[in-house]
Amino acid sequence: QVQLQESGPGLVKPSGTLSLTCAVAGDSISSSYWWSWVRQSPGKGLEWIGEIYHIGITNYNPSLKSRVTMSIDKSKNQFSLKLTSLTAADTAVYFCARRTSQPIFLDNWGQGARVTVSS
Amino acid sequence: AIQLTQSPSSLSASVGDKVTITCRASEDIRSGLGWYQQKAGKPPELLIYDASSLKSGVPGRFSGSGSGTDFTLTVSRLQPEDFAIYFCQQFNSYPLTFGGGTKVEIK
């Protein structure tokens, strides 16, 4: 059974940078899956942030693309999200998830990391 | 980006009822749609993929149908554990997008 676990600070300052990591257990980060980030806030519902493949290919949501960077650490079997220039609108629960290639769906999710942007 | 409009946004139903939720896409997404169930404090869990394929382990009272722009999730006989929020998500094109959710409450 695949398990994903997000980690990172729960409180970040406006204009700062959010850094989250997702540790993967029960599967190799180099397998044939895409590793995704999704966030959920009361105001905007569920929002797909983007995804990364183990060879470094990324797909980002255009609405966030200028502020997002995703990376993979094969040695630690984990992947990461950086989101810059934070505002209160970035306050949300951030989920990491595994995306299958064919058929396509998000089949395993982490429990979520609550992030608040506030001074 | 493709917009997904779910209806209703909430509904009240009783155990044993048949419940139908719809998801309409702003453009043709063929069969590239999934349905998720989310309970309080938990991540979404996949129920249906490719519009009508039931994920292994999901009870048979859940079913999905549709293609193109109009899709439906049906729960044939609502059980106590089915009271939750349901979301659709399209996988046909980037960016992947979600519907606004349908909250199923106990009547």
Side-chain angles (χ1 to χ4, degrees):
Chain A
Q1 177 71 6
V2 177
Q3 292 188 320
L4 292 83
Q5 180 65 60
E6 305 88 350
S7 61
L11 179 65
V12 287
K13 294 189 185 305
S15 78
T17 296
L18 167 66
S19 295
L20 291 173
T21 295
C22 182
V24 179
D27 190 12
S28 169
I29 202 85
S30 297
S31 61
S32 301
Y33 294 97
W34 289 77
W35 304 97
S36 309
W37 290 96
V38 176
R39 68 182 183 180
Q40 185 172 33
S41 61
K44 296 191 74 175
L46 285 163
E47 182 177 28
W48 177 78
I49 300 171
E51 61 186 11
I52 185 167
Y53 197 62
H54 65 86
I55 56 175
I57 300 171
T58 55
N59 294 303
Y60 297 148
N61 192 322
S63 67
L64 298 167
K65 187 174 183 177
S66 64
R67 300 194 290 131
V68 170
T69 303
M70 294 182 185
S71 59
I72 277 191
D73 186 336
K74 294 180 183 180
S75 67
K76 295 182 179 179
N77 214 46
Q78 64 187 30
F79 62 106
S80 299
L81 167 70
K82 285 192 190 303
L83 183 65
T84 63
S85 303
L86 297 171
T87 70
D90 295 309
T91 294
V93 176
Y94 286 75
F95 295 100
C96 59
R98 187 180 76 169
R99 200 242 315 151
T100 61
S101 293
Q102 195 60 248
I104 299 174
F105 50 81
L106 296 166
D107 68 343
N108 281 277
W109 297 61
Q111 289 301 302
R114 184 173 298 276
V115 176
T116 301
V117 180
S118 175
S119 55
Chain B
I2 294 173
Q3 294 181 34
L4 298 178
T5 303
Q6 280 184 243
S7 61
S9 55
S10 65
L11 64 90
S12 296
S14 300
V15 172
D17 284 354
K18 178 180 178 180
V19 167
T20 301
I21 299 168
T22 64
C23 179
R24 175 163 288 177
S26 60
E27 57 187 84
D28 187 348
I29 59 171
R30 298 185 288 183
S31 62
L33 189 98
W35 288 97
Y36 297 84
Q37 177 192 72
Q38 187 178 30
K39 297 182 179 178
K42 299 291 187 181
E45 291 189 7
L46 181 75
L47 300 172
I48 302 283
Y49 62 94
D50 280 354
S52 60
S53 297
L54 192 68
K55 182 190 173 186
S56 176
V58 173
R61 61 181 180 273
F62 291 93
S63 64
S65 64
S67 67
T69 60
D70 293 305
F71 301 86
T72 299
L73 173 70
T74 300
V75 187
S76 59
R77 287 177 301 278
L78 209 60
Q79 296 299 300
E81 61 268 28
D82 301 336
F83 292 95
I85 301 176
Y86 294 84
F87 295 94
C88 55
Q89 183 189 11
Q90 67 84 17
F91 294 96
N92 187 68
S93 63
Y94 290 110
L96 308 185
T97 50
F98 292 86
T102 296
K103 186 174 185 178
V104 177
E105 298 175 299
I106 301 174
K107 183 182 284 185

